[in-house]
Amino acid sequence: MPVKIAVCFKSVPEFEQVVEADWADFNLATDLSYVKRVFGCFDESALEMALRLRSAWEALGGSVECTALTASPLPSPLCKTLFAAGFERVLDLSGAIQGEDPPNDTFPENRSGEFRPLYTAAVLGAYLESAGYDLILAGRQTGYADTGIVPLALAEALGLPVITQVEEIAPCNGGVEIQRVSDTGRELLRVRLPLLAIVGNSPVAALRAVTLSARMAVSKRSAERPELPASTQSAVKLAGLAALEPSGRESAETGPAGAFRFSRETPHKNCRFLPAGANLAQSAAEITAKYLKGWNKSGQNRDKEGGR
Amino acid sequence: MTIVFVPSHEADPCISLFWNLVTPIRAGDDQVEFWLPVPESRSAVWSPAPDRVLYGGPAAPGDSTGLWDVRYTGICLRWLESLWEERRPGLIIVPSTMAGHELAVRLSARLGCGCFTGAGAILREGARLFTRKKVCSSNLDWDAEIRDFPAVLTITGRQAFPPEDCCPCGKRKTPPIEHRPAGPLTLPEWLLEYRQYGVSPANPLETAPLIFAAGQGLGSRVACDRLRRVAERFGAPLGFSRPAALNGWGETGSIIGQSGVRTGAECYIAVGVSGAAAFMAGIEPAATLIAVNTDKNAPIFRYTDIGIIAGAEEFMAALEA
């Protein structure tokens, strides 16, 4: 029986490409379709980690099946990248987020599930509960909201052991060996499967580059959209919790701002540019004298007036 | 309402952050309790003092971590659940550390209540409470209303100075202390082996008054190492933008920004940093920011006090002179 690995990932807009006018007026219905979507950075680590783990397991004589699944919008280029990188299956559950019956008074324009981590986890859990994966990987957090809630809520709903802040993962006797970061240092754990591993900052930072020929070989493939069970234990539990999430709907009860609002600070510094080129040495000397010298151990700059 | 804070230990620097965030929104009859998942040290001084302190533990022999440890997360969660059953707080607040975040989300799932993570502020508007956090790679602030209680929050922010005279009951050094032992420490059956290594000292980026920051514009690890030597000459640590660190040019623990360290320096020298909002989320807005970049249109110049349009190597050579 092959070891079954699933990677939960999310695609997000490249936020640095969003124009200022859209930030100024942002709401859940703001159209960001002009912005390229990329893998969440921690999810990308998890995706690559799964493929490396498969290679390591196969080198030991095992067989592994890697599946990537998402409840977020999945642009075709990203889907093809996953197939070309080596995932056997790619599952698109975003239709369950967008479709018929949200569990409660979801803001009608919020069809992407953004800012609804428990709802997202409910959809993922509805599929994963009966799918029988040995190892589930996920990135620790992803914009828009960067709540970091989905994988942990998923682990609780599925009743799986969970290890966070994973840096590296390798097969070992009895399960997997995990190197993780903690608040106080690094730890090495050997754990049994099944398991949900949440990937944090890792040296495995990016999904492998795929060749044009690899892309062309998978050009006809597309993501599966599996039917989700009408109700599963995990989904029901998470949907109940999802009812507690801010919905974003304006109402007489919550007032004109609703329970959900966005704002943006605009920077207001006027940068003074110092000369460069032939005068760079003079500029560096000014900076050194005024800002770099004189910091003592207690954090006071004796050269500055009014240092704290 | 009872507001609970779960620090990792008695000297947790997040305790002052908690008081700074909670004191302005605390209603007159709100009680504050600290639930510490460690044994009592007998030397703790609480100022300001909460209304009650509950200790857990016991720690394993020779281990001062208590329950704030990956091996004992399940025990810690059951301990917190049992306290919740007994005390029924309206808010449980946890530091947004790696361990704290995990405890908070998993606890909220077990309690069946809402969870709000990464709150940089808690706002009160009349009877309504909101959390505020940075979202969309720190391009926006998101206010989310806490409409149902209990709720679990994680809080984040720069290390704050202890507030003065903020406790309505005055400064007390000895709040009522209770002990609620968590029971024997047993390892979970799925954990076959555990080893800790590479114990990290405190991150200098969290407390340094002067910080140098390296971005992708440095171009290479060699250049970053050179900037590190320059920074050391001035007694400053070197932080990294996320792209620069993930190129292997620096430790991931040195990432400044939304997914890294939120610094509180008074002065920054950012070299080759573009100034993406996710990086700027880790920079103290009130600080002096000096940026060096070859691109005069780089976003970072919107946030800087002093700018220099120059290459990293020539700037470092000028500083070394």
Side-chain angles (χ1 to χ4, degrees):
Chain A
M1 285 280 283
V3 174
K4 292 179 63 176
I5 300 176
V7 184
C8 300
F9 73 93
K10 182 171 161 184
S11 74
V12 289
E14 282 230 65
F15 290 116
E16 298 312 313
Q17 294 181 0
V18 176
V19 299
E20 184 60 36
D22 281 334
W23 285 134
D25 207 24
F26 185 85
N27 58 67
L28 294 172
T30 299
D31 177 13
L32 297 183
S33 59
Y34 62 92
V35 180
K36 178 184 165 191
R37 290 188 81 97
V38 295
F39 294 117
C41 56
F42 297 107
D43 294 339
E44 190 168 352
S45 289
L47 289 165
E48 176 61 23
M49 221 175 260
L51 295 175
R52 292 190 186 193
L53 186 56
R54 180 177 64 192
S55 299
W57 238 314
E58 288 174 346
L60 296 173
S63 72
V64 179
E65 183 183 290
C66 283
T67 299
L69 69 155
T70 184
S72 67
L74 180 58
S76 177
L78 293 186
C79 182
K80 301 282 189 269
T81 296
L82 291 170
F83 282 125
F87 282 89
E88 280 87 2
R89 300 175 71 198
V90 177
L91 307 181
D92 181 355
L93 307 181
S94 60
I97 293 277
Q98 293 164 2
E100 312 81 27
D101 296 313
N104 53 59
D105 60 334
T106 307
F107 190 47
E109 284 78 9
N110 185 11
R111 288 304 192 183
S112 67
E114 298 297 351
F115 300 92
R116 301 292 311 278
L118 293 173
Y119 187 18
T120 302
V123 170
L124 293 170
Y127 171 76
L128 288 167
E129 186 169 70
S130 53
Y133 286 95
D134 301 291
L135 176 63
I136 301 171
L137 294 173
R140 78 173 202 204
Q141 67 191 71
T142 315
Y144 292 59
D146 276 308
T147 64
I149 288 176
V150 171
L152 286 165
L154 189 57
E156 282 292 314
L158 296 175
L160 285 176
V162 58
I163 300 290
T164 62
Q165 304 296 341
V166 173
E167 275 193 321
E168 302 263 14
I169 186 167
C172 71
N173 193 19
V176 288
E177 185 175 85
I178 289 178
Q179 179 177 305
R180 71 180 294 267
V181 179
S182 72
D183 293 305
T184 53
R186 282 189 161 76
E187 298 163 344
L188 200 61
L189 296 84
R190 202 158 56 85
V191 297
R192 287 186 215 279
L193 298 178
L195 175 76
L196 195 152
I198 302 174
V199 178
N201 281 316
S202 167
V204 181
L207 186 62
R208 58 197 57 185
V210 296
T211 62
L212 180 58
S213 59
R215 281 190 180 281
M216 291 180 67
V218 300
S219 61
K220 298 269 191 293
R221 299 187 67 181
S222 55
E224 301 168 43
R225 289 176 168 248
E227 287 282 327
L228 296 183
S231 68
T232 63
Q233 195 170 355
S234 65
V236 167
K237 178 177 179 180
L238 287 167
L241 291 176
L244 301 169
E245 293 181 311
S247 71
R249 178 180 287 273
E250 297 183 6
S251 71
E253 174 196 305
T254 58
F260 204 100
R261 57 197 187 205
F262 299 101
S263 58
R264 177 161 166 86
E265 284 179 41
T266 46
H268 45 264
K269 284 193 178 181
N270 289 319
C271 179
R272 177 169 73 98
F273 285 94
L274 295 181
N279 296 316
L280 182 57
Q282 186 180 338
S283 299
E286 179 183 336
I287 288 172
T288 300
K290 282 187 180 174
Y291 301 104
L292 300 189
K293 283 194 169 167
W295 293 99
N296 60 26
K297 286 186 181 173
S298 63
Q300 292 177 325
N301 185 344
R302 286 173 294 203
D303 292 343
K304 279 178 68 175
E305 287 184 7
R308 61 175 169 80
Chain B
M1 175 167 71
T2 298
I3 301 172
V4 165
F5 185 54
V6 186
S8 61
H9 56 89
E10 291 151 333
D12 191 330
C14 289
I15 290 175
S16 57
L17 175 65
F18 166 81
W19 286 117
N20 275 301
L21 293 188
V22 165
T23 302
I25 57 96
R26 187 177 167 188
D29 55 355
D30 285 342
Q31 299 284 295
V32 170
E33 294 188 359
F34 284 6
W35 296 354
L36 282 101
V38 292
E40 185 181 1
S41 72
R42 308 278 175 202
S43 62
V45 172
W46 303 103
S47 181
D51 297 292
R52 186 183 307 273
V53 177
L54 278 73
Y55 282 97
D63 183 348
S64 62
T65 304
L67 300 178
W68 203 267
D69 182 302
V70 67
R71 292 168 291 175
Y72 311 126
T73 304
I75 298 173
C76 190
L77 284 166
R78 288 193 288 277
W79 178 71
L80 291 170
E81 282 183 88
S82 68
L83 287 182
W84 182 81
E85 283 290 337
E86 178 191 328
R87 309 292 303 167
R88 296 288 174 150
L91 279 180
I92 301 178
I93 300 177
V94 189
S96 190
T97 57
M98 296 180 193
H101 174 84
E102 179 182 350
L103 282 174
V105 177
R106 294 180 67 184
L107 179 65
S108 70
R110 294 183 182 205
L111 299 181
C113 67
C115 188
F116 299 79
T117 59
I122 306 172
L123 313 172
R124 180 180 281 283
E125 295 178 4
R128 300 166 72 190
L129 279 182
F130 292 79
T131 62
R132 172 171 288 176
K133 71 169 290 185
K134 296 279 182 194
V135 296
C136 297
S137 288
S138 298
N139 282 286
L140 294 171
D141 285 323
W142 174 42
D143 294 348
E145 184 174 4
I146 307 171
R147 288 191 295 181
D148 298 281
F149 296 87
V152 181
L153 278 61
T154 69
I155 55 174
T156 185
R158 296 169 183 91
Q159 189 172 357
F161 292 101
E164 294 179 0
D165 297 326
C166 69
C167 178
C169 42
K171 287 186 183 178
R172 276 202 312 264
K173 293 188 179 177
T174 313
I177 305 282
E178 296 180 31
H179 297 92
R180 296 282 190 276
L185 295 182
T186 54
L187 295 179
E189 58 84 26
W190 47 262
L191 180 61
L192 299 171
E193 188 179 334
Y194 169 87
R195 182 162 61 91
Q196 188 179 50
Y197 68 101
V199 176
S200 303
N203 192 334
L205 290 172
E206 291 177 352
T207 55
L210 171 65
I211 291 175
F212 279 64
Q216 263 199 315
L218 269 288
S220 70
R221 178 164 192 152
V222 171
C224 292
D225 289 344
R226 184 180 183 187
L227 185 61
R228 186 190 307 279
R229 290 191 295 273
V230 171
E232 285 171 355
R233 287 177 58 180
F234 298 104
L238 180 65
F240 290 82
S241 69
R242 185 176 168 79
L246 295 184
N247 281 342
W249 301 346
E251 282 280 316
T252 53
S254 299
I255 293 174
I256 294 173
Q258 180 166 6
S259 63
V261 181
R262 310 284 180 108
T263 62
E266 294 193 33
C267 182
Y268 299 85
I269 314 291
V271 184
V273 177
S274 68
F279 171 83
M280 297 309 301
I283 300 291
E284 167 58 48
T288 299
L289 177 57
I290 300 164
V292 179
N293 201 299
T294 54
D295 179 6
K296 65 177 173 24
N297 296 316
I300 196 161
F301 291 125
R302 298 202 293 261
Y303 304 93
T304 49
D305 300 276
I306 307 275
I308 300 181
I309 311 297
E313 296 287 349
E314 56 178 328
F315 177 71
M316 287 190 284
L319 281 186
E320 288 164 344

PDB file of all heavy atoms in Angstrom, chain B residues 199-228:
ATOM      1  N   VAL B 199      19.680  25.257  21.351  1.00  0.00           N
ATOM      2  CA  VAL B 199      18.875  26.171  22.162  1.00  0.00           C
ATOM      3  C   VAL B 199      19.201  27.604  21.757  1.00  0.00           C
ATOM      4  O   VAL B 199      20.358  27.995  21.679  1.00  0.00           O
ATOM      5  CB  VAL B 199      19.157  25.971  23.664  1.00  0.00           C
ATOM      6  CG1 VAL B 199      18.383  26.987  24.488  1.00  0.00           C
ATOM      7  CG2 VAL B 199      18.775  24.557  24.074  1.00  0.00           C
ATOM      8  N   SER B 200      18.162  28.375  21.483  1.00  0.00           N
ATOM      9  CA  SER B 200      18.373  29.724  20.960  1.00  0.00           C
ATOM     10  C   SER B 200      18.468  30.730  22.087  1.00  0.00           C
ATOM     11  O   SER B 200      17.612  30.747  22.971  1.00  0.00           O
ATOM     12  CB  SER B 200      17.197  30.137  20.075  1.00  0.00           C
ATOM     13  OG  SER B 200      17.013  29.249  19.041  1.00  0.00           O
ATOM     14  N   PRO B 201      19.475  31.581  22.056  1.00  0.00           N
ATOM     15  CA  PRO B 201      19.469  32.709  22.986  1.00  0.00           C
ATOM     16  C   PRO B 201      18.388  33.699  22.538  1.00  0.00           C
ATOM     17  O   PRO B 201      17.802  33.540  21.470  1.00  0.00           O
ATOM     18  CB  PRO B 201      20.870  33.314  22.821  1.00  0.00           C
ATOM     19  CG  PRO B 201      21.273  32.934  21.436  1.00  0.00           C
ATOM     20  CD  PRO B 201      20.616  31.613  21.149  1.00  0.00           C
ATOM     21  N   ALA B 202      18.133  34.668  23.367  1.00  0.00           N
ATOM     22  CA  ALA B 202      17.139  35.684  23.014  1.00  0.00           C
ATOM     23  C   ALA B 202      17.532  36.326  21.689  1.00  0.00           C
ATOM     24  O   ALA B 202      18.708  36.530  21.407  1.00  0.00           O
ATOM     25  CB  ALA B 202      17.070  36.728  24.118  1.00  0.00           C
ATOM     26  N   ASN B 203      16.557  36.609  20.869  1.00  0.00           N
ATOM     27  CA  ASN B 203      16.817  37.179  19.556  1.00  0.00           C
ATOM     28  C   ASN B 203      17.186  38.650  19.704  1.00  0.00           C
ATOM     29  O   ASN B 203      16.360  39.447  20.155  1.00  0.00           O
ATOM     30  CB  ASN B 203      15.571  37.016  18.678  1.00  0.00           C
ATOM     31  CG  ASN B 203      15.839  37.313  17.225  1.00  0.00           C
ATOM     32  OD1 ASN B 203      16.750  38.077  16.896  1.00  0.00           O
ATOM     33  ND2 ASN B 203      15.060  36.716  16.344  1.00  0.00           N
ATOM     34  N   PRO B 204      18.419  39.035  19.317  1.00  0.00           N
ATOM     35  CA  PRO B 204      18.824  40.439  19.494  1.00  0.00           C
ATOM     36  C   PRO B 204      17.968  41.409  18.706  1.00  0.00           C
ATOM     37  O   PRO B 204      17.859  42.579  19.075  1.00  0.00           O
ATOM     38  CB  PRO B 204      20.285  40.451  19.010  1.00  0.00           C
ATOM     39  CG  PRO B 204      20.426  39.243  18.150  1.00  0.00           C
ATOM     40  CD  PRO B 204      19.476  38.231  18.691  1.00  0.00           C
ATOM     41  N   LEU B 205      17.344  40.940  17.629  1.00  0.00           N
ATOM     42  CA  LEU B 205      16.500  41.843  16.836  1.00  0.00           C
ATOM     43  C   LEU B 205      15.318  42.360  17.655  1.00  0.00           C
ATOM     44  O   LEU B 205      14.776  43.412  17.359  1.00  0.00           O
ATOM     45  CB  LEU B 205      15.979  41.125  15.593  1.00  0.00           C
ATOM     46  CG  LEU B 205      17.023  40.804  14.523  1.00  0.00           C
ATOM     47  CD1 LEU B 205      16.399  39.927  13.444  1.00  0.00           C
ATOM     48  CD2 LEU B 205      17.570  42.082  13.903  1.00  0.00           C
ATOM     49  N   GLU B 206      14.927  41.623  18.675  1.00  0.00           N
ATOM     50  CA  GLU B 206      13.731  42.024  19.435  1.00  0.00           C
ATOM     51  C   GLU B 206      14.011  43.191  20.365  1.00  0.00           C
ATOM     52  O   GLU B 206      13.082  43.882  20.772  1.00  0.00           O
ATOM     53  CB  GLU B 206      13.210  40.834  20.240  1.00  0.00           C
ATOM     54  CG  GLU B 206      12.611  39.741  19.358  1.00  0.00           C
ATOM     55  CD  GLU B 206      12.155  38.533  20.146  1.00  0.00           C
ATOM     56  OE1 GLU B 206      12.437  38.479  21.357  1.00  0.00           O
ATOM     57  OE2 GLU B 206      11.537  37.641  19.546  1.00  0.00           O
ATOM     58  N   THR B 207      15.295  43.425  20.705  1.00  0.00           N
ATOM     59  CA  THR B 207      15.586  44.456  21.704  1.00  0.00           C
ATOM     60  C   THR B 207      16.623  45.484  21.238  1.00  0.00           C
ATOM     61  O   THR B 207      16.829  46.475  21.930  1.00  0.00           O
ATOM     62  CB  THR B 207      16.099  43.815  23.003  1.00  0.00           C
ATOM     63  OG1 THR B 207      17.220  42.981  22.688  1.00  0.00           O
ATOM     64  CG2 THR B 207      15.010  42.969  23.647  1.00  0.00           C
ATOM     65  N   ALA B 208      17.262  45.272  20.118  1.00  0.00           N
ATOM     66  CA  ALA B 208      18.344  46.176  19.704  1.00  0.00           C
ATOM     67  C   ALA B 208      17.790  47.547  19.359  1.00  0.00           C
ATOM     68  O   ALA B 208      16.762  47.654  18.685  1.00  0.00           O
ATOM     69  CB  ALA B 208      19.072  45.593  18.499  1.00  0.00           C
ATOM     70  N   PRO B 209      18.467  48.617  19.759  1.00  0.00           N
ATOM     71  CA  PRO B 209      18.017  49.963  19.406  1.00  0.00           C
ATOM     72  C   PRO B 209      18.420  50.354  17.989  1.00  0.00           C
ATOM     73  O   PRO B 209      17.856  51.273  17.410  1.00  0.00           O
ATOM     74  CB  PRO B 209      18.724  50.855  20.429  1.00  0.00           C
ATOM     75  CG  PRO B 209      19.957  50.088  20.800  1.00  0.00           C
ATOM     76  CD  PRO B 209      19.603  48.640  20.704  1.00  0.00           C
ATOM     77  N   LEU B 210      19.425  49.682  17.438  1.00  0.00           N
ATOM     78  CA  LEU B 210      19.905  49.974  16.085  1.00  0.00           C
ATOM     79  C   LEU B 210      19.959  48.651  15.330  1.00  0.00           C
ATOM     80  O   LEU B 210      20.524  47.677  15.823  1.00  0.00           O
ATOM     81  CB  LEU B 210      21.295  50.603  16.138  1.00  0.00           C
ATOM     82  CG  LEU B 210      22.035  50.777  14.802  1.00  0.00           C
ATOM     83  CD1 LEU B 210      21.298  51.769  13.907  1.00  0.00           C
ATOM     84  CD2 LEU B 210      23.481  51.220  15.040  1.00  0.00           C
ATOM     85  N   ILE B 211      19.349  48.609  14.169  1.00  0.00           N
ATOM     86  CA  ILE B 211      19.290  47.373  13.381  1.00  0.00           C
ATOM     87  C   ILE B 211      19.665  47.672  11.937  1.00  0.00           C
ATOM     88  O   ILE B 211      19.211  48.675  11.364  1.00  0.00           O
ATOM     89  CB  ILE B 211      17.870  46.761  13.432  1.00  0.00           C
ATOM     90  CG1 ILE B 211      17.569  46.221  14.832  1.00  0.00           C
ATOM     91  CG2 ILE B 211      17.699  45.655  12.398  1.00  0.00           C
ATOM     92  CD1 ILE B 211      16.142  45.702  15.016  1.00  0.00           C
ATOM     93  N   PHE B 212      20.493  46.803  11.367  1.00  0.00           N
ATOM     94  CA  PHE B 212      20.729  46.819   9.933  1.00  0.00           C
ATOM     95  C   PHE B 212      19.834  45.749   9.308  1.00  0.00           C
ATOM     96  O   PHE B 212      19.629  44.683   9.903  1.00  0.00           O
ATOM     97  CB  PHE B 212      22.200  46.496   9.621  1.00  0.00           C
ATOM     98  CG  PHE B 212      23.127  47.668   9.780  1.00  0.00           C
ATOM     99  CD1 PHE B 212      23.342  48.265  11.013  1.00  0.00           C
ATOM    100  CD2 PHE B 212      23.798  48.185   8.681  1.00  0.00           C
ATOM    101  CE1 PHE B 212      24.205  49.355  11.157  1.00  0.00           C
ATOM    102  CE2 PHE B 212      24.668  49.263   8.807  1.00  0.00           C
ATOM    103  CZ  PHE B 212      24.868  49.848  10.046  1.00  0.00           C
ATOM    104  N   ALA B 213      19.312  46.031   8.117  1.00  0.00           N
ATOM    105  CA  ALA B 213      18.447  45.067   7.433  1.00  0.00           C
ATOM    106  C   ALA B 213      18.950  44.829   6.021  1.00  0.00           C
ATOM    107  O   ALA B 213      19.269  45.792   5.299  1.00  0.00           O
ATOM    108  CB  ALA B 213      17.002  45.561   7.396  1.00  0.00           C
ATOM    109  N   ALA B 214      19.024  43.561   5.639  1.00  0.00           N
ATOM    110  CA  ALA B 214      19.514  43.182   4.318  1.00  0.00           C
ATOM    111  C   ALA B 214      18.352  42.697   3.465  1.00  0.00           C
ATOM    112  O   ALA B 214      17.559  41.863   3.905  1.00  0.00           O
ATOM    113  CB  ALA B 214      20.553  42.079   4.448  1.00  0.00           C
ATOM    114  N   GLY B 215      18.281  43.212   2.257  1.00  0.00           N
ATOM    115  CA  GLY B 215      17.244  42.767   1.328  1.00  0.00           C
ATOM    116  C   GLY B 215      17.851  42.041   0.143  1.00  0.00           C
ATOM    117  O   GLY B 215      19.066  41.853   0.047  1.00  0.00           O
ATOM    118  N   GLN B 216      16.987  41.636  -0.769  1.00  0.00           N
ATOM    119  CA  GLN B 216      17.452  40.906  -1.946  1.00  0.00           C
ATOM    120  C   GLN B 216      18.404  41.720  -2.794  1.00  0.00           C
ATOM    121  O   GLN B 216      19.198  41.171  -3.548  1.00  0.00           O
ATOM    122  CB  GLN B 216      16.253  40.476  -2.799  1.00  0.00           C
ATOM    123  CG  GLN B 216      15.830  39.067  -2.547  1.00  0.00           C
ATOM    124  CD  GLN B 216      14.983  38.499  -3.660  1.00  0.00           C
ATOM    125  OE1 GLN B 216      14.086  39.149  -4.141  1.00  0.00           O
ATOM    126  NE2 GLN B 216      15.267  37.271  -4.046  1.00  0.00           N
ATOM    127  N   GLY B 217      18.328  43.057  -2.661  1.00  0.00           N
ATOM    128  CA  GLY B 217      19.226  43.914  -3.434  1.00  0.00           C
ATOM    129  C   GLY B 217      20.696  43.727  -3.105  1.00  0.00           C
ATOM    130  O   GLY B 217      21.556  44.134  -3.877  1.00  0.00           O
ATOM    131  N   LEU B 218      20.998  43.077  -1.973  1.00  0.00           N
ATOM    132  CA  LEU B 218      22.398  42.799  -1.666  1.00  0.00           C
ATOM    133  C   LEU B 218      23.008  41.867  -2.711  1.00  0.00           C
ATOM    134  O   LEU B 218      24.185  41.920  -3.010  1.00  0.00           O
ATOM    135  CB  LEU B 218      22.520  42.143  -0.278  1.00  0.00           C
ATOM    136  CG  LEU B 218      22.712  43.012   0.955  1.00  0.00           C
ATOM    137  CD1 LEU B 218      24.110  43.608   0.996  1.00  0.00           C
ATOM    138  CD2 LEU B 218      21.700  44.130   1.032  1.00  0.00           C
ATOM    139  N   GLY B 219      22.182  40.981  -3.212  1.00  0.00           N
ATOM    140  CA  GLY B 219      22.603  40.174  -4.361  1.00  0.00           C
ATOM    141  C   GLY B 219      23.296  38.874  -4.046  1.00  0.00           C
ATOM    142  O   GLY B 219      23.349  37.987  -4.899  1.00  0.00           O
ATOM    143  N   SER B 220      23.858  38.720  -2.852  1.00  0.00           N
ATOM    144  CA  SER B 220      24.595  37.490  -2.573  1.00  0.00           C
ATOM    145  C   SER B 220      24.794  37.332  -1.076  1.00  0.00           C
ATOM    146  O   SER B 220      24.691  38.300  -0.312  1.00  0.00           O
ATOM    147  CB  SER B 220      25.976  37.505  -3.248  1.00  0.00           C
ATOM    148  OG  SER B 220      26.828  38.457  -2.613  1.00  0.00           O
ATOM    149  N   ARG B 221      25.096  36.113  -0.694  1.00  0.00           N
ATOM    150  CA  ARG B 221      25.399  35.849   0.710  1.00  0.00           C
ATOM    151  C   ARG B 221      26.681  36.564   1.128  1.00  0.00           C
ATOM    152  O   ARG B 221      26.793  37.046   2.261  1.00  0.00           O
ATOM    153  CB  ARG B 221      25.539  34.344   0.922  1.00  0.00           C
ATOM    154  CG  ARG B 221      25.905  34.074   2.354  1.00  0.00           C
ATOM    155  CD  ARG B 221      25.706  32.667   2.769  1.00  0.00           C
ATOM    156  NE  ARG B 221      25.818  32.637   4.224  1.00  0.00           N
ATOM    157  CZ  ARG B 221      25.227  31.762   4.996  1.00  0.00           C
ATOM    158  NH1 ARG B 221      24.471  30.841   4.476  1.00  0.00           N
ATOM    159  NH2 ARG B 221      25.396  31.808   6.295  1.00  0.00           N
ATOM    160  N   VAL B 222      27.630  36.641   0.215  1.00  0.00           N
ATOM    161  CA  VAL B 222      28.897  37.304   0.526  1.00  0.00           C
ATOM    162  C   VAL B 222      28.634  38.760   0.898  1.00  0.00           C
ATOM    163  O   VAL B 222      29.202  39.287   1.863  1.00  0.00           O
ATOM    164  CB  VAL B 222      29.861  37.190  -0.670  1.00  0.00           C
ATOM    165  CG1 VAL B 222      31.093  38.058  -0.452  1.00  0.00           C
ATOM    166  CG2 VAL B 222      30.269  35.739  -0.877  1.00  0.00           C
ATOM    167  N   ALA B 223      27.775  39.407   0.137  1.00  0.00           N
ATOM    168  CA  ALA B 223      27.455  40.816   0.423  1.00  0.00           C
ATOM    169  C   ALA B 223      26.747  40.931   1.769  1.00  0.00           C
ATOM    170  O   ALA B 223      27.004  41.877   2.527  1.00  0.00           O
ATOM    171  CB  ALA B 223      26.598  41.397  -0.699  1.00  0.00           C
ATOM    172  N   CYS B 224      25.862  39.991   2.073  1.00  0.00           N
ATOM    173  CA  CYS B 224      25.169  40.023   3.364  1.00  0.00           C
ATOM    174  C   CYS B 224      26.157  39.828   4.509  1.00  0.00           C
ATOM    175  O   CYS B 224      26.050  40.480   5.551  1.00  0.00           O
ATOM    176  CB  CYS B 224      24.085  38.950   3.420  1.00  0.00           C
ATOM    177  SG  CYS B 224      22.713  39.262   2.320  1.00  0.00           S
ATOM    178  N   ASP B 225      27.104  38.938   4.320  1.00  0.00           N
ATOM    179  CA  ASP B 225      28.109  38.732   5.360  1.00  0.00           C
ATOM    180  C   ASP B 225      28.920  40.008   5.577  1.00  0.00           C
ATOM    181  O   ASP B 225      29.278  40.354   6.706  1.00  0.00           O
ATOM    182  CB  ASP B 225      29.045  37.575   4.986  1.00  0.00           C
ATOM    183  CG  ASP B 225      28.350  36.229   5.072  1.00  0.00           C
ATOM    184  OD1 ASP B 225      27.268  36.159   5.701  1.00  0.00           O
ATOM    185  OD2 ASP B 225      28.858  35.249   4.502  1.00  0.00           O
ATOM    186  N   ARG B 226      29.188  40.708   4.478  1.00  0.00           N
ATOM    187  CA  ARG B 226      29.923  41.984   4.605  1.00  0.00           C
ATOM    188  C   ARG B 226      29.081  43.001   5.377  1.00  0.00           C
ATOM    189  O   ARG B 226      29.590  43.703   6.249  1.00  0.00           O
ATOM    190  CB  ARG B 226      30.251  42.519   3.211  1.00  0.00           C
ATOM    191  CG  ARG B 226      31.095  43.790   3.219  1.00  0.00           C
ATOM    192  CD  ARG B 226      31.373  44.270   1.805  1.00  0.00           C
ATOM    193  NE  ARG B 226      32.239  45.442   1.812  1.00  0.00           N
ATOM    194  CZ  ARG B 226      32.543  46.147   0.725  1.00  0.00           C
ATOM    195  NH1 ARG B 226      32.049  45.790  -0.453  1.00  0.00           N
ATOM    196  NH2 ARG B 226      33.333  47.207   0.803  1.00  0.00           N
ATOM    197  N   LEU B 227      27.773  43.061   5.082  1.00  0.00           N
ATOM    198  CA  LEU B 227      26.902  44.002   5.804  1.00  0.00           C
ATOM    199  C   LEU B 227      26.827  43.620   7.278  1.00  0.00           C
ATOM    200  O   LEU B 227      26.755  44.487   8.148  1.00  0.00           O
ATOM    201  CB  LEU B 227      25.513  44.024   5.175  1.00  0.00           C
ATOM    202  CG  LEU B 227      24.545  45.064   5.755  1.00  0.00           C
ATOM    203  CD1 LEU B 227      25.071  46.484   5.567  1.00  0.00           C
ATOM    204  CD2 LEU B 227      23.162  44.943   5.104  1.00  0.00           C
ATOM    205  N   ARG B 228      26.852  42.325   7.562  1.00  0.00           N
ATOM    206  CA  ARG B 228      26.833  41.881   8.961  1.00  0.00           C
ATOM    207  C   ARG B 228      28.070  42.407   9.692  1.00  0.00           C
ATOM    208  O   ARG B 228      27.972  42.873  10.827  1.00  0.00           O
ATOM    209  CB  ARG B 228      26.801  40.366   9.050  1.00  0.00           C
ATOM    210  CG  ARG B 228      26.631  39.828  10.471  1.00  0.00           C
ATOM    211  CD  ARG B 228      26.851  38.317  10.557  1.00  0.00           C
ATOM    212  NE  ARG B 228      26.031  37.596   9.600  1.00  0.00           N
ATOM    213  CZ  ARG B 228      24.754  37.299   9.784  1.00  0.00           C
ATOM    214  NH1 ARG B 228      24.165  37.649  10.909  1.00  0.00           N
ATOM    215  NH2 ARG B 228      24.082  36.631   8.868  1.00  0.00           N
TER     216      ARG B 228
END
